Amino acid sequence: MSFMTGSVAPSITLSPTTNSFPFQSKRISLSQNNRTSLGPDLLGSRNGAPVSLSTPHAEIWMQDRQVLIRDRRSSHGTFVNGVQAEQQTLLQNGDTITLGARLLRSSSTPSHITEDQLKPIEATVTLIGL
């Protein structure tokens, strides 16, 4: 799809799935080669953050009118449609990204950690203006 003057500015919306740590859908503006870190600060959640989420965890950016994601050497990985994204990976409309992993509660899990904080960030990708 070509980019036309006066069209919608390129952006990506990340919307939580039912298996995700709860967060408000997030729309991120994209510009050529400007990288955005994905991590706890991006969520703006009052519920804390997922235990398996690193700071920064991953980054996304637009390159040649395509949106890419890359893991930032996180402890629990970045996945696109269930496949670990070990290198930069192309994102498409409707993809599911997962930041982190589902952790199981054990006797060593601090009591202040909620069940939601044991979930990863799992989001459906919507590309806009691309």
Side-chain angles (χ1 to χ4, degrees):
M1 177 182 230
S2 63
F3 184 69
M4 301 177 152
T5 303
S7 63
V8 177
S11 64
I12 182 173
T13 299
L14 302 176
S15 303
T17 68
T18 56
N19 298 320
S20 179
F21 171 86
F23 68 97
Q24 292 291 321
S25 291
K26 189 74 173 176
R27 186 172 180 170
I28 302 164
S29 296
L30 300 170
S31 59
Q32 192 66 23
N33 296 319
N34 185 22
R35 295 175 187 237
T36 299
S37 290
L38 301 177
D41 54 337
L42 180 71
L43 299 173
S45 175
R46 294 185 181 146
N47 303 333
V51 176
S52 67
L53 200 60
S54 300
T55 304
H57 193 95
E59 62 186 4
I60 58 170
W61 71 98
M62 183 176 68
Q63 180 177 313
D64 300 326
R65 308 297 305 163
Q66 295 182 320
V67 179
L68 301 163
I69 189 168
R70 178 178 77 110
D71 189 77
R72 296 282 310 267
R73 298 186 191 132
S74 66
S75 299
H76 295 282
T78 298
F79 301 82
V80 177
N81 299 323
V83 177
Q84 189 163 9
E86 295 179 0
Q87 299 178 0
Q88 67 183 34
T89 302
L90 178 66
L91 290 178
Q92 298 190 34
N93 218 22
D95 281 349
T96 299
I97 63 168
T98 306
L99 307 176
R102 174 74 165 112
L103 301 178
L104 299 176
R105 183 173 294 282
S106 70
S107 59
S108 63
T109 305
S111 60
H112 71 276
I113 300 295
T114 67
E115 287 303 312
D116 280 340
Q117 288 176 292
L118 295 174
K119 296 177 182 179
I121 294 293
E122 187 176 278
T124 302
V125 170
T126 304
L127 300 176
I128 302 162
L130 295 167

